[in-house]
Structure formats: C-alpha cells, structure tokens
Amino acid sequence: MKETSSILALAKETILLESKSIANLANLLDNSFVEAVKFILSANGRVIVTGIGKSANIATKIVATFNSTGTPAVFMHAGDAIHGDLGNVQENDVVICISKSGNTPEIKVLAPLIKNYKNKIIAITGNPDSFLGKNADFVLNTYVEKEACPNNLAPTTSTTAQLVMGDALAVCLLELKGFTSKDFAKYHPGGALGKRLYLRVSDLIKNNEQPKVIATDKVTKVIIEISEKRLGVTAVVDKDNKIVGIITDGDIRRMLSKTTKIDELTAAEIMSKNPKTIDVDAMAVDALDTLENNSITQILVTNKTKSYVGVVHLHDLIKEGIF
C-alpha cells in the first residue's frame, strides 16, 4: 500500500495536470466559438447535446447547466440516436456532438444523418481534423496533451476539458440573454439555493407572533410580552403603530443586573432607540445580511407605511436552510 505522501503526490499531480490543460483551453478558443454562441442565440429550437461513453456523461451535465441557465436543452445518447432517438432532433434544433477523438463509429454514423436533416452541428472535440471536426459547422477545440490516468487511457483530463467548454458556452449564453438572478430562481425553486433567491421576509414572519408594547407600558408588561411571544424581543411602538424602540431579553437581563426595583420603570426607559428594521417585501437573504453585519439575532419588520408588522429571528432563517 502506498504511503500517505505518495497518495497526496499523485492527487496533486492529477489536479495540476488537469488545471494546466484547462488553462490551455483559453488559447484554443477562436472565432468558431463566437459564431457557435451567436448561432445558438439566434436559433428558434433547442440545443441537443450528444455523445458516447464518458462524453455522454459530460453531455448530461452540460444539458443540465443549459436548462438551469435559460437555454432549453435535451440529452441524446449517440448510440441510441441511430436506433430511434434521432427523432428528438427537430427542425430548428442545434446539435452539440461531444467526442474526444471525433472518430467513434457512432459519431461517424450520426453526424451525416444530422447534416441531412439540415441541423447545424457544434463539435466539442480534442481532434479538429477528425471526421466530426470536418463535418461540423462549428468546432470547439478541447485538445489535451495527456489524460491524468497514468496509462493515458481513462478519460479524465479530456472530459474535464469538455465540461469546461460546455460551461463557457452556458455562461456566454446566459450573459448575452440577460439572464438574471430572478430567472435563476424560477428554475431553482427547491433547496437552500432556491430559497435564497425567492424567499422574502413576508414568508418568514407569517407564522410568527408580533410582540409589541407602547413606550409608557411598565417593564413587567414588557417581560410578559417577551416571554409569551417567545421571540426574545418586543417592539416599542407609538399610537400609530410606528416603531420608536426595541427591547430584547438581553436588555431585561442588563436592567435586572442594575436594579430589582422595576415596578415604576417603563418601556421607554430601557428600550434602544432607532433599531434596525427591514421592509416586509425584502428578500430573506437581505435580512440575514443585516443580522450578520450588525451582530444581532432579531430584526423588526415594517411595511410600506413604516408601520410595525413583525419580527424576523435568526432561527427563522436557520429553519429555512438559508443561514
């Protein structure tokens, strides 16, 4: 069994070899890449991405990236394509064929069929002089000098290069389409990522209590309000429900450390003035930023008229998986 140092050395060699090859892709980019991007933008159909073997695995990831960034795409296995799945390709679709050698039997059969249908082919290949390269309308060169595999056989560096070229296409397309974070949220409604993009403060406070007292209320009432509403805080409002201050359970503890004569104290005497607030329509992630930047765990929420409507607690954000 290899020593730890040998294992780490092999891992580092793999990473450095692949990173060097990926960096070299920038030198291989030419006007064909530009024209491919422009053609996809102008096409009225989808992007069909196809490949065989490990290139097929990369094709599925590129399809997922396209779909999630506003470019409709469909995966088509090159082997299945010549046995019926070629029906996936519609009149205005663009086909991206991925093949390191560009000379696999399936690609040699598939490429002419696609050409016969008058669809344009974008080749992602490490061999521009291959059958695929010569039959494609646009060629994206993903040549790598060596696979990370010690035998230079297993697709490693070459498939990474294919993936990166697909990412380059996707990023250029989303930028040129003006794809925004709102668009991204539309396609990613699930999980923490989606919530960061669409969840609003109003969603966080809808099930929360609304602790509040007025400035003249006695401290005993303040303590009861904080305890009953269980958010560790209460807003102090005026007769128009506008916020004039905030009292936290920490304020209560600090008050009790100074005096036990609380019968005559009022909310106004222990509250903090000008507390941090956030609009009810703000994004939840903005509430998180405010909490973190000010080292606080609660923030009061107001509506468009600046009236008090609730509290966001750090626990609300943790519960939603945003924190």
Side-chain angles (χ1 to χ4, degrees), residues 2-215:
K2 290 184 177 294
E3 296 293 334
T4 299
S5 58
S6 298
I7 295 172
L8 289 175
L10 284 170
K12 289 177 182 178
E13 182 182 352
T14 300
I15 293 169
L16 291 173
L17 175 62
E18 294 206 13
S19 64
K20 181 180 178 181
S21 296
I22 297 310
N24 188 55
L25 287 182
N27 300 321
L28 301 179
L29 287 176
D30 56 20
N31 197 56
S32 190
F33 181 91
V34 177
E35 294 303 318
V37 171
K38 289 181 177 179
F39 188 81
I40 294 173
L41 278 172
S42 65
N44 293 320
R46 307 158 302 168
V47 178
I48 309 296
V49 190
T50 188
I52 195 83
K54 300 299 185 292
S55 294
N57 299 139
I58 296 301
T60 61
K61 167 55 172 67
I62 292 175
V63 164
T65 301
F66 279 158
N67 282 325
S68 69
T69 53
T71 299
V74 175
F75 168 69
M76 179 179 68
H77 194 280
D80 294 335
I82 59 178
H83 293 284
D85 281 4
L86 196 56
N88 278 319
V89 183
Q90 302 300 305
E91 182 178 357
N92 296 313
D93 291 343
V94 185
V95 180
I96 297 178
C97 288
I98 306 176
S99 173
K100 176 187 176 182
S101 71
N103 289 314
T104 57
E106 293 84 0
I107 294 297
K108 284 186 174 182
V109 174
L110 180 60
L113 294 173
I114 294 171
K115 297 288 284 184
N116 287 341
Y117 289 166
K118 308 301 182 183
N119 296 90
K120 297 292 186 181
I121 297 177
I122 300 171
I124 296 181
T125 180
N127 184 6
D129 295 324
S130 63
F131 181 88
L132 175 60
K134 291 179 178 179
N135 282 274
D137 298 281
F138 313 98
V139 180
L140 311 185
N141 190 353
T142 52
Y143 170 78
V144 296
E145 185 176 345
K146 185 180 184 297
E147 298 287 6
C149 165
N151 299 314
N152 196 29
L153 293 173
T156 45
T157 311
S158 61
T159 48
T160 304
Q162 293 167 354
L163 183 61
V164 170
M165 189 62 74
D167 285 344
L169 282 172
V171 171
C172 288
L173 289 167
L174 76 87
E175 284 283 350
L176 292 171
K177 287 182 176 183
F179 194 81
T180 66
S181 59
K182 289 184 179 179
D183 297 316
F184 197 80
K186 182 170 65 175
Y187 298 127
H188 298 77
L193 177 60
K195 287 182 178 180
R196 290 180 72 91
L197 292 168
Y198 75 79
L199 200 68
R200 295 186 179 275
V201 169
S202 56
D203 299 311
L204 297 173
I205 68 168
K206 59 186 178 183
N207 295 319
N208 282 353
E209 297 279 3
Q210 297 179 3
K212 65 179 179 180
V213 296
I214 61 174

